Amino acid sequence: MKQEIAKYSYIMIFALIISSVFNYLYQVVMGILLPKHEFGILGVALAIFFIASVLTQNTFSWSGTRRMASSQMEEITKIFKTTVVGNITLAFIVSILIIIYSYKSETYFIPNVLVALAIVSSAVTNSYASLLRAMRKFQPIASANIIMALLKFIFAVVLVMLGLEAVGGVAGLLLSI
């Protein structure tokens, strides 16, 4: 058992390091490609996303992981469905609040609509990640984290270079999810 835990720890640490490199490159390249005011818009949008996504990462997802890991197979389906519905409900509530808060802003409305879509999308992926954690399927989680960070970097760079500016940076996040 201890060897199995150690093996998965190495996999998750490796994935964290690689995805952190891509996330760092994303920030650096966005800082280089975007004008200051557009980089500021991107920073605000990312801050809103990360703050709001805490709800779907830390409420139903982790409690769902714990419950699914200690349950029988027939009960796991019910817990998983509850996790998905709970995460999506929270994501919709937060997304509506974000859109209401920013609907009058010419600058932030479109980035925040993309943030709202990303929050709802990440609510679903967080639910599936909780199931994978409960089933001790750490390799798919590690792979998904690396691929998501890489795709965010690639999509954002391409979209920003195509002239979408901060919206392209946020769209890269949404597309990666």
Side-chain angles (χ1 to χ4, degrees):
M1 181 68 169
K2 287 184 181 182
Q3 288 177 336
E4 183 181 29
I5 292 171
K7 173 183 161 187
Y8 293 129
S9 296
Y10 291 126
I11 290 169
M12 295 306 288
I13 290 171
F14 176 75
L16 176 67
I17 291 168
I18 298 301
S19 63
S20 294
V21 167
F22 287 125
N23 286 323
Y24 176 74
L25 287 173
Y26 168 81
Q27 291 290 333
V28 169
V29 173
M30 291 299 103
I32 293 169
L33 293 177
L34 293 172
K36 287 179 186 179
H37 69 282
E38 289 290 326
F39 188 67
I41 294 168
L42 176 64
V44 169
L46 291 175
I48 291 169
F49 171 76
F50 290 125
I51 290 168
S53 66
V54 166
L55 286 173
T56 60
Q57 290 175 352
N58 295 327
T59 51
F60 289 94
S61 296
W62 282 104
S63 58
T65 297
R66 188 181 62 75
R67 294 275 322 273
M68 285 185 274
S70 62
S71 298
Q72 300 298 322
M73 197 54 124
E74 56 275 354
E75 202 173 306
I76 290 175
T77 304
K78 287 190 258 183
I79 297 167
F80 176 68
K81 286 178 183 177
T82 302
T83 302
V84 172
V85 169
N87 278 341
I88 289 175
T89 302
L90 284 173
F92 271 120
I93 291 168
V94 169
S95 295
I96 289 168
L97 292 173
I98 290 169
I99 291 170
I100 288 171
Y101 175 72
S102 63
Y103 81 95
K104 290 183 179 179
S105 173
E106 290 180 23
T107 304
Y108 291 103
F109 181 69
I110 293 174
N112 283 344
V113 167
L114 294 176
V115 165
L117 293 171
I119 290 168
V120 173
S121 299
S122 71
V124 175
T125 59
N126 287 335
S127 300
Y128 278 99
S130 71
L131 175 64
L132 290 172
R133 281 191 303 267
M135 305 304 283
R136 294 177 181 88
K137 304 285 185 191
F138 296 106
Q139 289 174 328
I141 296 170
S143 298
N145 288 342
I146 293 170
I147 291 168
M148 197 165 88
L150 174 63
L151 289 176
K152 177 175 71 173
F153 173 69
I154 291 170
F155 285 139
V157 168
V158 169
L159 292 172
V160 168
M161 291 180 81
L162 289 173
L164 291 177
E165 297 185 325
V167 171
V170 179
L173 170 68
L174 174 61
L175 292 171
S176 72
I177 295 171

